[in-house]
Amino acid sequence: EAGILGYLSKPFDINSLERALQDSMGKVSTNLKETLNKVRRIEFFSDFTDLELVRLLKICHTRKYQHGDTIFKEGEKGDRLYVLIMGNVEIIKHREDHTETLATLNAGDCLGERALVDQEPRSADARAKGDSMIIEVNDQIINDINDILALKLFRKIAVLVTKKLRIYTSQHIDQN
């Protein structure tokens, strides 16, 4: 469907070529299966097939952050969604007279999804709390994929935004 190049990373070597051939034919190696099973436990990725996850993980970036590292800053252009694989992230809002921690996110949580929907600047800072690992899905990836994978990504993002809106709404209704 995506061809060998959809599964092959550079530089090419015989092992990666063999894996790309197997992946493109629908055969997923045992080591990759274990990794996929770990990633599949994260709700955001739960509906993807093995081959869809392989494609997605090969085109996304995985980044590691140390305690205190900034993932994004308030006001920056928002062009990616982050899926927290390991560790914790604090969402921080700077007020005129103080700094407020809006949320502490855990492994499996997503952040930055609004930026993929509305293209607006970030509304808060995100900072690693302890060592963390994150998968980044940028808007270029979503805009360049025009098949079932893109539809599944958009659906997951819509569900994520809706869940967060429901939580926010119910919290504000309870306060009044």
Side-chain angles (χ1 to χ4, degrees):
E1 155 182 328
I4 297 297
L5 294 179
Y7 297 93
L8 191 58
S9 56
K10 294 177 185 173
F12 304 138
D13 63 42
I14 193 67
N15 291 333
S16 63
L17 182 58
E18 183 179 324
R19 275 194 312 276
L21 284 168
Q22 288 176 344
D23 291 347
S24 68
M25 293 185 308
K27 298 175 183 170
V28 180
S29 70
T30 307
N31 273 350
L32 192 53
K33 269 273 202 220
E34 291 172 18
T35 302
L36 292 176
N37 287 335
K38 288 177 186 174
V39 171
R40 188 177 310 296
R41 290 185 197 125
I42 296 169
E43 184 181 345
F44 187 80
F45 297 115
S46 63
D47 294 337
F48 293 91
T49 67
D50 285 352
L51 290 177
E52 290 168 341
L53 273 176
V54 167
R55 280 185 60 210
L56 188 60
L57 293 174
K58 286 190 177 197
I59 57 179
C60 291
H61 296 285
T62 303
R63 302 214 191 279
K64 292 183 180 181
Y65 294 90
Q66 294 180 343
H67 179 75
D69 286 350
T70 299
I71 298 163
F72 57 77
K73 288 186 150 299
E74 182 175 353
E76 287 180 346
K77 178 183 186 253
D79 62 353
R80 60 199 67 216
L81 156 77
Y82 301 87
V83 182
L84 185 56
I85 302 301
M86 178 188 85
N88 303 99
V89 170
E90 290 181 312
I91 305 299
I92 301 162
K93 183 73 174 175
H94 299 283
R95 308 285 185 195
E96 286 183 21
D97 58 344
H98 69 285
T99 300
E100 180 181 353
T101 299
L102 300 177
T104 299
L105 305 177
N106 304 306
D109 288 337
C110 298
L111 55 149
E113 67 280 347
R114 281 191 353 215
L116 290 180
V117 176
D118 65 12
Q119 303 293 304
E120 292 294 319
R122 301 286 184 195
S123 59
D125 292 356
R127 185 173 58 209
K129 185 177 180 183
D131 292 343
S132 302
M133 186 182 332
I134 293 175
I135 294 176
E136 295 180 1
V137 181
N138 70 40
D139 62 352
Q140 185 78 31
I141 290 169
I142 291 176
N143 292 331
D144 287 349
I145 303 173
N146 51 358
D147 59 15
I148 193 70
L149 186 58
L151 292 173
K152 282 187 172 182
L153 278 169
F154 280 121
R155 184 176 188 289
K156 281 294 193 177
I157 292 167
V159 168
L160 183 63
V161 169
T162 302
K163 280 183 182 179
K164 287 186 177 184
L165 183 58
R166 285 185 194 279
I167 291 168
Y168 177 79
T169 303
S170 68
Q171 288 172 347
H172 281 73
I173 289 173
D174 292 343
Q175 289 176 356
N176 294 329

